[in-house]
Structures are given as C-alpha cells and as structure tokens.
Amino acid sequence: MSKLISNMAGSVWKIVVKQGDKVEKGQDLVILESMKMEISLAAESSGVVKEIKVNEGDFVNEGDVLVELE
Amino acid sequence: MFKKILIANRGEIALRIMRTCKLMGINTVAIYSEADKDSPHVKKADQAFLVGGARVNESYLNIDKIIEIAKETGSEAVHPGYGLLSENPVFAKKCEEAGITFIGPSPEVISRMGSKIESRKAMEEVGVPVVPGITYPLSNADEAVKIASSMGYPVMLKASAGGGGIGMQIAHDSEELQKAFAGNQKRATDFFGDGAMYVEKYIENPRHVEIQIFADKSGNTIYLWERECSIQRRHQKVVEEAPSVILDEETRSKMGAAAIKAAKSIGYSNAGTIEFLVDSNKNFYFLEMNTRLQVEHPVTEEITGIDLVEQQIRIAADEVLKYTQSDIKRDGHSIEVRIYAEDPKTFFPSPGKITKLSLPKGSEVRHELAIEEQSVVTPFYDPMIGKLIVKGKNREEAIIHLKNALSEYEIEGIKTNIPMLREVISHQAFKDGDTTTNFVSKYLQNK
C-alpha cells in the first residue's frame, strides 16, 4: 500500500481520481492550491485508489495523507 | 482633496499607499481578513475593519462589504492597489454608484482593457503595433490549428481574460496546440469565468518593456519612461529595472508616443501601464494594458523623483497634471527584485512563520515590505512578501548595490527566492544586459 502525502500547506483544488480507479505511477491524483499556485501531486507507484482522505476545498498541511493506494 | 481613503488591499502595497496618504494629510482605512488580523497594514492604518474570512472571495474580493465599510467610515475614495479588485469594473462601478471615488480609470475603460482580445482590437484601430494574431475568440481547437498553420509555429495560445500567466501556453506544432487548447480553456473558465481563447505569433527571445503613463481627467497625458521586466518565472516578474538596457532614444520615444496614443484613444485617466514585447530587432508590439498601479512602480519613482501614488490620488481628486512631458526627468538607474516565499529552485510556495528578519540598510536601498519578524505567511495569498529596490548612478552601480543588499538580506523560518535572486544578479548575462523573458530557463535551470 502506498500513500499520497501533501508536500505543502494549501487547499485541495481538484481531486482527479475516484475510489476504485486503477492508476499508473506518475499519474496525477490531486491538485493542491497554495499562494495562487496549483501543484499536481502524482502517484509514486501504480495501484488502485483505496481511499480518498480529503474533499475538494479542504485545507491540508504539509505531511497530511491525501489518498491511499493499494 | 480627500480627507479619508479606504485601501482595498493588503500587504506591502497597502502600506505603500498609506505612507503617501500620511504625507498628504489623508486619513486611512484598512480592511483585513481573519488571516491578516496581525498584519502590519492593520496596525499602521488610522482605522481597520475585519471584512471576512481568510479566502479572498470572503474578504478582499467582497465588493458589497468593502463599499459598506467605505460608506460607514465616511471614506471619500477607495484605492484598490494592484491585483484583487484593482481591475474589476464591477467594483469601480459600484464605488461610483455609492458616491465614492475609485482611484483609477472609468469602469468602461477597465472593462475594455480587461479583455485581451478587445484591447488588441482597440490598439489595432489606432495603429499601435500588436503581436501578429487574431482579434476574435476561437470556437475550437481545430480553428486554432488552422490559424496557427497559416501564421507559422511557434504560437502562443492565450486566454482573453487571462492574467498572471494562467491560461497561456506556447505551442510548437499542431499536436501541442491541440493538447493545450482544452486544458487552458478549462483553466481560464475556472479562474476567470471566461473561456475565450485566441492565438498570436510567438515572439522569439522577447524582452518585456512597459511604458508608465499618467492622464488627468482633462485628457492631459504624459509618460514616465519605461521599465524592463524581462526576468520572470512562471510568467511572473521577478526583476524589474528602469531604464531598459535595450532601448535607444529613438525606440524609447516611439514607444512613449505609441503609449500616449493608446491611452488617449480609449479616454484613459489615472495611472496606467502599456506592456510591450520588444524583439531582438527592437520592433515593439502591444501586449496588454494594466489599468492600475504596478507592483514595480518604485523603479519609476526612483528615476523620476515622482511619487506615483500621490499623482494617482491628485488625478482622482480632479486635479490637473502639474507636469508636462518635458518636466519628466530621468536620473540614474533603479532595479527592484521581488521577494517571494517559495523554494528558490522549484518555485513551490513556502508558507510559514518568519523567525528572523534582518534587512540591508543604506541610502541606496529601499524596502517595501508586507511582513515583519514573527509574521506568519499564510497560504491564502500571493507569495510576494516584499520588494527590495536599489538606485545607482548607472546600471553598473545599481547592480553592485543590489548584490551587496542581497548578500545582507536574511529571512529565516520560510524558504525564499533570495538565493535565486543572488544568482540572477551575479550572472554575467545579467551584467551584459542579456535579459530576455527566458533568462531563468536559459541560464539558471539548465546548468
């Protein structure tokens, strides 16, 4: 199982996958927004989206788990 | 003259405007969001009012609440600063309807220049050169490809309502253009509520040179020379200077004349900036007009000795310009660098608490700061936390002053772009004046 972890403080702008999706390594899962900039966060390994821990618009801190893959 | 002005902004520009108001004997009203309650701009104002939550649409973009505060405090005018509501015609209109003077041009002019397609059309009509391209919205990606192939690649795909680099992308061939279209159109719709897209020819190795103009309400129009803002990252300016290293006197006066013609033709009043791209043969092309004070206005103040905010307020108060073109002097060289709270390599935002702030001192150094020691930089707003401005007798001296100032500049607790600025200033290509808009990717990222 792998986790997608936020690399900065900001809000969740877009979640581009849903639970059960099969994703490839390097595929964008979540787009964060901070200081008027959007940063895409990509899967570090291939897998299936097990759980999405956040909603669009949520505020997250650096280190927060956003998505769990298995 | 006004007795009280509400400043509908935050950070360094709110403080900058307050400073001039104080000199003019005008009281100031600040507004702030919940995230900004301990900010310097709140403490420095004569009065300060909470306007809403941390997110800009709850606070600094809350038009009705801001106008309500202006009315309740008896503010006779509103200064919008830059960004936020500064180029919002609805805000300007609502101020007007409430009997409050909006310090800027008319809502009609803001609205016309806010559309890149409309402003290109307006400039073409009066014979100001524009970047070759179209002046109508594209209906789909196929139409974009058809036009691009007749113009020749590379092309720039742009959102008509775009700004801050959002909704624009270079395309080198039809495949890239096809791919870029949908994504950029969607981003433009999400960000600006307007998905109108157009294409223009990509100018190779361009410089970004802009002309500062001032027009009073009687139509007297002057220009305060140029600023060169070619060094950018993510299509946002990082280093700005005046005068430009590329312009000769002939090109300078041609661009000044074009800027004045442009401003007069649209019935402009107050401060404005006409942005041009200049190619390697010194051909210049209209890019867009900013109908407000610019972030980089201090470099113009340094070389002309004129307080731009004071002139804005005087024009808004129906005064006639006391300068004619021949009164505008040009003395020395000034450079401004923007201090961003971000990683100096990846440019990713770096919010957090400033644990130490130690600033360079000296008469050749000017600071415009949004923060102080112990300030918390939140993720809700633009990453710019300050500006450092230097002045020298000439460019060479200004670079030396800037290099010294940057070496003494210390911020701890968050990451900043100061290491990147030091690299730019120390680079031989910068000293040589090889300042094109691809400077960062050409000299700093491909090492």
Side-chain angles (χ1 to χ4, degrees):
Chain A
M1 196 179 81
S2 80
K3 290 172 175 161
L4 182 74
I5 290 166
S6 174
N7 60 357
M8 64 174 198
S11 58
V12 179
W13 189 51
K14 291 273 151 71
I15 299 169
V16 289
V17 289
K18 50 185 195 304
Q19 203 176 338
D21 280 2
K22 199 161 172 284
V23 298
E24 299 289 321
K25 182 183 174 181
Q27 183 181 335
D28 288 345
L29 306 181
V30 172
I31 304 170
L32 295 181
E33 196 269 334
S34 183
M35 293 178 146
K36 290 167 68 187
M37 183 182 179
E38 313 81 58
I39 310 269
S40 306
L41 297 183
E44 285 182 4
S45 57
S46 302
V48 173
V49 177
K50 186 185 168 204
E51 194 182 353
I52 297 170
K53 300 271 197 187
V54 290
N55 295 305
E56 288 184 2
D58 283 359
F59 186 81
V60 296
N61 280 304
E62 190 173 347
D64 286 0
V65 177
L66 308 178
V67 177
E68 283 185 358
L69 299 177
E70 63 177 5
Chain B
M1 184 45 64
F2 309 117
K3 290 185 182 65
K4 195 186 267 188
I5 292 179
L6 181 141
I7 298 161
N9 215 301
R10 59 181 300 282
E12 66 87 21
I13 195 61
L15 290 161
R16 162 74 194 86
I17 296 162
M18 277 174 211
R19 204 165 63 227
T20 289
C21 288
K22 280 209 167 85
L23 287 172
M24 297 176 77
I26 299 168
N27 285 317
T28 54
V29 178
I31 55 166
Y32 63 95
S33 69
E34 277 161 19
D36 276 345
K37 63 182 194 310
D38 298 319
S39 293
H41 86 274
V42 178
K43 298 173 205 162
K44 287 270 164 66
D46 295 308
Q47 288 172 279
F49 293 86
L50 178 70
V51 71
R55 287 162 208 266
V56 284
N57 51 355
E58 300 163 352
S59 51
Y60 297 106
L61 298 181
N62 189 340
I63 292 177
D64 293 334
K65 186 78 195 284
I66 294 168
I67 289 177
E68 194 187 302
I69 294 170
K71 279 202 227 164
E72 278 172 11
T73 53
S75 302
E76 301 149 274
V78 170
H79 197 307
Y82 54 68
L84 298 173
L85 294 172
S86 62
E87 292 177 290
N88 184 316
V90 175
F91 181 59
K93 184 92 191 153
K94 286 197 172 179
C95 284
E96 209 173 71
E97 285 165 2
I100 298 160
T101 304
F102 176 82
I103 301 177
S106 68
E108 295 72 29
V109 168
I110 297 174
S111 164
R112 193 159 182 215
M113 292 298 111
S115 154
K116 292 192 179 179
I117 290 175
E118 279 302 310
S119 64
R120 281 169 61 81
K121 221 189 277 179
M123 293 305 126
E124 253 182 6
E125 278 167 17
V126 293
V128 172
V130 300
V131 181
I134 58 168
T135 48
Y136 53 88
L138 292 162
S139 42
N140 52 47
D142 290 339
E143 193 188 0
V145 168
K146 205 174 133 209
I147 288 155
S149 51
S150 69
M151 276 195 310
Y153 288 94
V155 298
M156 276 301 255
L157 175 71
K158 287 188 173 180
S160 181
I166 295 166
M168 67 189 262
Q169 197 171 330
I170 181 171
H172 295 88
D173 53 48
S174 58
E175 198 187 328
E176 263 186 30
L177 185 55
Q178 280 278 4
K179 262 193 195 157
F181 192 89
N184 282 282
Q185 184 167 50
K186 185 171 186 303
R187 281 162 63 80
T189 310
D190 287 346
F191 273 83
F192 311 111
D194 177 0
M197 305 296 293
Y198 69 102
V199 280
E200 58 184 35
K201 184 92 186 117
Y202 177 72
I203 307 288
E204 303 275 354
N205 295 320
R207 287 160 190 268
H208 178 116
V209 180
E210 57 187 34
I211 306 286
Q212 174 71 52
I213 61 117
F214 262 102
D216 65 24
K217 289 181 185 172
S218 317
N220 299 307
T221 310
I222 55 170
Y223 68 99
L224 276 64
W225 314 116
E226 78 283 0
R227 293 179 289 262
E228 178 164 345
C229 319
S230 298
I231 299 188
Q232 311 183 346
R233 62 106 184 81
R234 297 187 351 228
H235 302 295
Q236 284 177 336
K237 298 161 187 170
V238 180
V239 181
E240 297 115 339
E241 57 186 309
S244 158
V245 286
I246 182 91
L247 296 194
D248 51 47
E249 291 306 321
E250 194 196 337
T251 314
R252 176 173 287 121
S253 66
K254 267 195 213 159
M255 289 177 75
I260 287 183
K261 189 155 79 174
K264 283 195 164 176
S265 72
I266 55 169
Y268 201 83
S269 81
N270 218 292
T273 295
I274 319 258
E275 298 192 336
F276 293 97
L277 287 182
V278 179
D279 71 14
S280 45
N281 297 317
K282 293 181 193 171
N283 296 308
F284 59 89
Y285 306 95
F286 171 82
L287 194 59
E288 63 180 66
M289 178 162 194
N290 294 323
T291 55
R292 54 167 166 83
L293 188 69
Q294 300 273 98
V295 175
E296 57 275 21
H297 75 277
V299 295
T300 299
E301 296 186 320
E302 292 301 318
I303 64 158
T304 60
I306 296 172
D307 180 331
L308 267 57
V309 175
E310 180 188 342
Q311 296 310 314
Q312 282 195 295
I313 294 171
R314 291 195 182 282
I315 290 168
D318 298 333
E319 287 188 20
V320 172
L321 268 176
K322 62 173 183 173
Y323 301 100
T324 59
Q325 193 61 52
S326 55
D327 297 328
I328 309 303
K329 61 172 184 157
R330 195 169 83 230
D331 166 48
H333 195 100
S334 180
I335 310 177
E336 172 183 285
V337 292
R338 300 187 188 189
I339 316 280
Y340 287 114
E342 66 185 20
D343 184 285
K345 289 262 179 240
T346 62
F347 311 135
F348 280 11
S350 176
K353 184 174 183 173
I354 293 172
T355 52
K356 183 183 173 190
L357 177 66
S358 175
L359 300 173
K361 294 180 183 71
S363 60
E364 62 286 341
V365 174
R366 168 174 167 185
H367 294 286
E368 299 292 348
L369 281 178
I371 43 117
E372 53 199 12
E373 206 162 85
Q374 306 304 319
S375 284
V376 175
V377 181
T378 66
F380 302 106
Y381 315 109
D382 188 275
M384 197 182 78
I385 53 172
K387 307 184 300 207
L388 166 66
I389 303 109
V390 296
K391 184 178 181 192
K393 284 199 294 289
N394 49 40
R395 189 168 189 265
E396 207 180 358
E397 195 186 280
I399 291 174
I400 293 169
H401 291 327
L402 186 53
K403 213 171 161 178
N404 292 337
L406 281 170
S407 71
E408 291 166 24
Y409 211 118
E410 284 181 77
I411 299 182
E412 285 174 18
I414 56 165
K415 287 188 272 189
T416 72
N417 66 333
I418 290 173
M420 178 257 193
L421 295 170
R422 287 179 187 143
E423 253 190 283
V424 172
I425 298 307
S426 310
H427 205 287
Q428 192 58 40
F430 183 78
K431 286 180 194 141
D432 293 343
D434 185 17
T435 48
T436 53
T437 54
N438 56 3
F439 186 95
V440 171
S441 60
K442 188 171 167 189
Y443 294 115
L444 302 188
Q445 291 180 323
N446 293 340
K447 281 197 302 194

